[in-house]
Amino acid sequence: AQTVTQSQPEMSVQEAETVTLSCTYDTSESDYYLFWYKQPPSRQMILVIRQEAYKQQNATENRFSVNFQKAAKSFSLKISDSQLGDAAMYFCAYKGPGTYKYIFGTGTRLKVLA
Amino acid sequence: GAVVSQHPSWVICKSGTSVKIECRSLDFQATTMFWYRQFPKQSLMLMATSNEGSKATYEQGVEKDKFLINHASLTLSTLTVTSAHPEDSSFYICSASMGSVEKLFFGSGTQLSVL
């Protein structure tokens, strides 16, 4: 069965600095999707970034980028120039082929220090 | 972007009563909708998957008679918590898929408190 692991329950970063959130997953599939979702205090889930496994190029969305290591089954999120509004829970998620079922990790709470 | 509206955002009810939560896709047709439950400071736990016009598929351990899901149209799915008890108190979130697009769009969630 597929699993998603986020080993950092909580992380802190100074405003304007860079932080990396870790995520590892386990799957026997070769074609799948990986996501990072942000859940701010409002609890609205917001898609931060998406990576398709068959694409070797790491996805980037403005200040957010990923380091996708397929062989190592690692999918970390880098947030550059951290802002106070980045403070939230971040969930890593996996979606396998032929299904819309997402498997979420346990989340990492990011604190941004002014 | 695609918007999913979830209502109500919070509800308080007495033990033994039933509560209905609505999830609507406002500007797209949702072929599949999902219902999640989230306990404080924990991840999202998938409860069930619903496709328009067919019975919902429940995850293992989720009581289908307790959590009734109806996906009557391509824009509306409802979750009814029947005979609610305090242990059903939780944050419930719906999400919707547009079909071939590999994205989920989430509602803003419903905090249910059962007294």
Side-chain angles (χ1 to χ4, degrees):
Chain A
Q2 294 88 0
T3 58
V4 177
T5 302
Q6 292 179 252
S7 58
Q8 305 155 317
E10 189 171 294
M11 293 281 285
S12 296
V13 62
Q14 206 71 35
E15 196 175 5
E17 296 295 310
T18 296
V19 65
T20 298
L21 308 184
S22 300
C23 173
T24 58
Y25 58 95
D26 188 27
T27 183
S28 58
E29 303 288 348
S30 59
D31 185 19
Y32 48 87
Y33 288 82
L34 296 165
F35 307 83
W36 278 99
Y37 277 90
K38 171 185 177 181
Q39 188 179 41
S42 68
R43 305 181 82 173
Q44 172 74 58
M45 294 287 284
I46 302 167
L47 177 64
V48 175
I49 202 164
R50 180 183 72 170
Q51 176 79 44
E52 298 165 82
Y54 64 87
K55 289 187 176 180
Q56 292 187 341
Q57 187 174 6
N58 289 326
T60 299
E61 289 288 342
N62 301 313
R63 298 183 294 107
F64 299 87
S65 61
V66 297
N67 183 3
F68 174 47
Q69 301 289 328
K70 192 171 184 179
K73 296 180 182 175
S74 171
F75 182 61
S76 60
L77 174 70
K78 186 173 81 170
I79 306 174
S80 304
D81 186 25
S82 296
Q83 301 175 358
L84 294 176
D86 294 333
M89 280 290 288
Y90 286 81
F91 292 99
C92 178
Y94 164 96
K95 190 196 85 65
T99 176
Y100 287 104
K101 181 176 177 178
Y102 283 41
I103 299 171
F104 288 89
T106 50
T108 296
R109 180 170 299 282
L110 178 65
K111 295 184 177 180
V112 181
L113 308 174
Chain B
V3 177
V4 175
S5 173
Q6 187 172 341
H7 178 81
S9 55
W10 59 270
V11 58
I12 301 172
C13 70
K14 292 182 178 180
S15 185
T17 61
S18 295
V19 173
K20 180 183 285 189
I21 302 170
E22 291 190 350
C23 181
R24 292 181 183 273
S25 55
L26 297 185
D27 50 3
F28 67 99
Q29 293 186 327
T31 52
T32 307
M33 286 186 170
F34 303 85
W35 288 94
Y36 299 85
R37 185 172 180 177
Q38 186 179 29
F39 291 103
K41 299 183 179 181
Q42 293 189 26
S43 188
L44 281 70
M45 181 192 79
L46 180 65
M47 299 174 65
T49 303
S50 73
N51 294 293
E52 184 264 340
S54 61
K55 290 185 178 181
T57 301
Y58 290 82
E59 295 299 303
Q60 191 173 8
V62 178
E63 300 176 60
K64 57 183 68 176
D65 294 331
K66 156 75 74 178
F67 300 100
L68 300 179
I69 293 171
N70 187 318
H71 194 158
S73 75
L74 284 171
T75 59
L76 174 65
S77 177
T78 60
L79 167 68
T80 301
V81 183
T82 62
S83 186
H85 291 284
E87 57 266 29
D88 298 324
S89 299
S90 188
F91 190 65
Y92 294 87
I93 308 176
C94 73
S95 67
S97 167
M98 282 201 284
S100 61
V101 177
E102 301 297 350
K103 284 184 181 179
L104 276 187
F105 301 95
F106 285 84
S108 53
T110 298
Q111 178 65 51
L112 170 63
S113 296
V114 184
L115 304 178

